[in-house]
Amino acid sequence: IRLEQRLRVMTISRSYQSIVLLFVSRLSAAALFTPSLALSTSVTHHCNSIRSSSQLRLFGSSRFRKKDKQPDHQMESAADADAATQKMAQLDLSLIKKFAHKNGDALFGYIEECQVDDPNNKGSFGRFLDAGTGSHSLRWMASILHREHLLANTSNGALSSPNISMDSFTAITADENMRRRVFNEAKELGIADKGDVIIGNWKEGVGKDGTVQFGASDTSDGTKLLLEGQQFDTILADYLVGAIDGFSPYFQDLIFNRLVPHLAPGGRLYVIGLQPIPDSVNSPANIMCKIRRVRDACILLANHRCYREYPLDWIERHLRKSGLNVVQSRTYPIRYDHSTMVRQINVGRSKLKLFPTKGMAAEMGKVLDDLEKESLEVTRKQADGRITLGYDYVVVAERPVDSD
């Protein structure tokens, strides 16, 4: 692990990193028992010698060819580079270009900023777990995996996003339709070979007392629990807590206990959430409170479950209870225009066909129509056509390095 971390921060190419790893694998038995600090120093010295040498020597054996003929490894590298360039040229990356700009996405931009500033990670997300995946978070991950290409083909100047990296990703969803959608988009974005999209439920294997029962799966075929035995350098919970009520009701207080065993010591968990919309406010923004109430009523009358958001202080409290340190957090006020409110109204309309009676659906449809008209009137009275209500938040939590 220390070797991988040391190599990650050094300014040498991936091919040189592979050479160093091969060098270490060929060390003598005595060298393998060298204290880790000395070994790390030895590797660093070897990296520096490789980096500064004008010709490449492999562990004492010259591998030069005649000047009129390229070495095999150079020809293979050139062929690989050409293939990669052709592959990138065939991809449509228009959906992820915005992430190459610092202001492209405020929440994910803040996460990138925090990761760059983290001394434990040096600007890399390493092995990455998206604990509740969706199209938006997948596109952001694709922008990380294609970050060098995006930065090279955009002209954002000082407003460019950081050149941050990710080794691999694992994306989890409890919904089969979402899994297919995300997997297909991963292929379209050219990152399907960089990770896995898995269907699973975090509630499985958690006892009534909240303990995770690894090694004692209650599944009929004896398979392991979701991601059992795997750890990641970074975990993202992108509106995951709010979505849990739709799949695993009353499990919200245990979700961080379930995720912590998969977070490597020193790793970070980023939680994105929405501060719950209040029942009412004494301002023009009250229209959004009314829309939220009617939308949720439609969902319930269709015999579906609503998402249930949790406030920032609840999230921070339960992160600490799970053994994590809350490093910092930030809030982002939400600005609603008419189109944003209509999208929420349309969620309610999509449920009308599932109402118990046609008469009930017809009357609720009139209520939704009235809300759309009222929202238009309210926004037209605002100087910029938008109202402010509530906020999104990002919480940065870290697992102590000395934790078990």
Side-chain angles (χ1 to χ4, degrees):
I1 292 173
R2 293 185 61 180
L3 172 60
E4 290 177 355
Q5 291 174 342
R6 180 65 68 90
L7 290 175
R8 186 182 300 163
V9 303
M10 297 188 68
T11 55
I12 58 176
S13 68
R14 290 185 178 276
S15 60
Y16 286 174
Q17 291 184 24
S18 300
I19 292 171
V20 176
L21 290 173
L22 180 60
F23 164 70
V24 173
S25 70
R26 293 185 176 183
L27 289 174
S28 65
L32 286 175
F33 285 94
T34 301
S36 58
L37 180 59
L39 176 58
S40 180
T41 304
S42 174
V43 171
T44 303
H45 174 75
H46 192 75
C47 289
N48 290 333
S49 64
I50 291 176
R51 186 167 46 195
S52 61
S53 176
S54 59
Q55 293 180 312
L56 182 62
R57 293 182 177 275
L58 298 183
F59 321 125
S61 299
S62 297
R63 297 287 293 272
F64 304 122
R65 306 298 176 91
K66 294 180 180 180
K67 291 184 179 180
D68 60 346
K69 185 178 180 181
Q70 281 189 320
D72 288 344
H73 71 274
Q74 290 185 10
M75 296 176 63
E76 292 173 359
S77 298
D80 291 343
D82 289 341
T85 301
Q86 293 177 6
K87 180 180 177 181
M88 290 299 299
Q90 297 172 357
L91 298 176
D92 179 8
L93 302 182
S94 59
L95 292 175
I96 66 174
K97 285 180 65 176
K98 71 171 188 176
F99 295 108
H101 194 288
K102 280 187 176 180
N103 300 326
D105 187 285
L107 280 68
F108 283 123
Y110 173 62
I111 289 175
E112 292 182 17
E113 175 188 322
C114 292
Q115 196 71 7
V116 169
D117 293 340
D118 179 15
N120 293 327
N121 296 291
K122 301 295 185 181
S124 173
F125 288 103
R127 300 159 296 175
F128 190 88
L129 170 63
D130 184 358
T133 196
S135 292
H136 189 63
S137 60
L138 179 86
R139 291 171 185 174
W140 172 68
M141 289 189 292
S143 80
I144 299 295
L145 292 165
H146 293 317
R147 183 57 56 91
E148 288 189 1
H149 175 82
L150 291 174
L151 293 177
N153 289 274
T154 54
S155 55
N156 297 324
L159 294 177
S160 295
S161 296
N163 189 6
I164 200 165
S165 64
M166 180 183 297
D167 295 341
S168 62
F169 74 89
T170 299
I172 306 296
T173 177
D175 181 72
E176 176 58 27
N177 291 330
M178 179 60 74
R179 187 200 67 80
R180 287 197 296 267
R181 187 186 315 160
V182 169
F183 179 72
N184 289 335
E185 190 157 7
K187 289 194 294 183
E188 293 172 0
L189 293 172
I191 62 170
D193 60 336
K194 302 295 184 180
D196 300 300
V197 182
I198 301 172
I199 188 166
N201 193 318
W202 292 114
K203 188 175 182 179
E204 296 173 359
V206 179
K208 293 182 179 180
D209 59 353
T211 58
V212 184
Q213 301 171 347
F214 289 124
S217 176
D218 57 1
T219 56
S220 58
D221 59 0
T223 56
K224 293 184 177 181
L225 299 181
L226 179 62
L227 299 185
E228 182 168 346
Q230 298 185 46
Q231 282 195 330
F232 301 85
D233 302 300
T234 314
I235 298 178
L236 172 68
D238 183 24
Y239 297 105
L240 172 63
V241 178
I244 286 176
D245 216 56
F247 300 96
S248 304
Y250 318 118
F251 181 66
Q252 292 89 335
D253 63 320
L254 297 175
I255 182 60
F256 298 134
N257 287 28
R258 180 65 177 84
L259 292 177
V260 165
H262 299 292
L263 184 61
R268 285 191 164 181
L269 168 61
Y270 293 97
V271 182
I272 299 177
L274 170 68
Q275 190 75 3
I277 297 176
D279 292 333
S280 63
V281 293
N282 187 24
S283 74
N286 190 55
I287 179 61
M288 193 59 209
C289 299
K290 294 168 67 174
I291 291 173
R292 194 269 302 169
R293 292 200 305 268
V294 175
R295 178 204 66 190
D296 288 357
C298 292
I299 293 172
L300 292 172
L301 288 169
N303 201 31
H304 293 166
R305 296 190 67 90
C306 303
Y307 282 6
R308 185 178 182 182
E309 307 295 343
Y310 283 78
L312 174 59
D313 61 330
W314 188 97
I315 295 292
E316 292 181 340
R317 188 164 61 248
H318 282 78
L319 284 169
R320 292 188 180 99
K321 284 184 177 180
S322 68
L324 300 178
N325 297 325
V326 175
V327 179
Q328 56 188 309
S329 62
R330 184 176 292 183
T331 61
Y332 298 84
I334 302 175
R335 303 279 285 156
Y336 295 94
D337 59 18
H338 181 242
S339 63
T340 306
M341 289 186 266
V342 169
R343 282 200 296 271
Q344 295 304 310
I345 292 171
N346 286 338
V347 171
R349 286 177 174 141
S350 70
K351 306 296 180 181
L352 297 180
K353 61 183 178 292
L354 301 174
F355 274 30
T357 67
K358 292 183 179 179
M360 183 183 294
E363 292 303 313
M364 184 63 84
K366 295 177 183 179
V367 174
L368 292 167
D369 291 342
D370 290 342
L371 285 174
E372 182 170 350
K373 294 176 183 178
E374 184 179 352
S375 65
L376 181 59
E377 294 173 0
V378 170
T379 52
R380 279 179 173 174
K381 294 178 181 178
Q382 309 306 310
D384 61 353
R386 298 187 294 176
I387 55 102
T388 303
L389 180 67
Y391 54 84
D392 292 302
Y393 55 78
V394 179
V395 183
V396 184
E398 190 172 279
R399 185 173 182 181
V401 176
D402 57 354
S403 62
D404 295 330

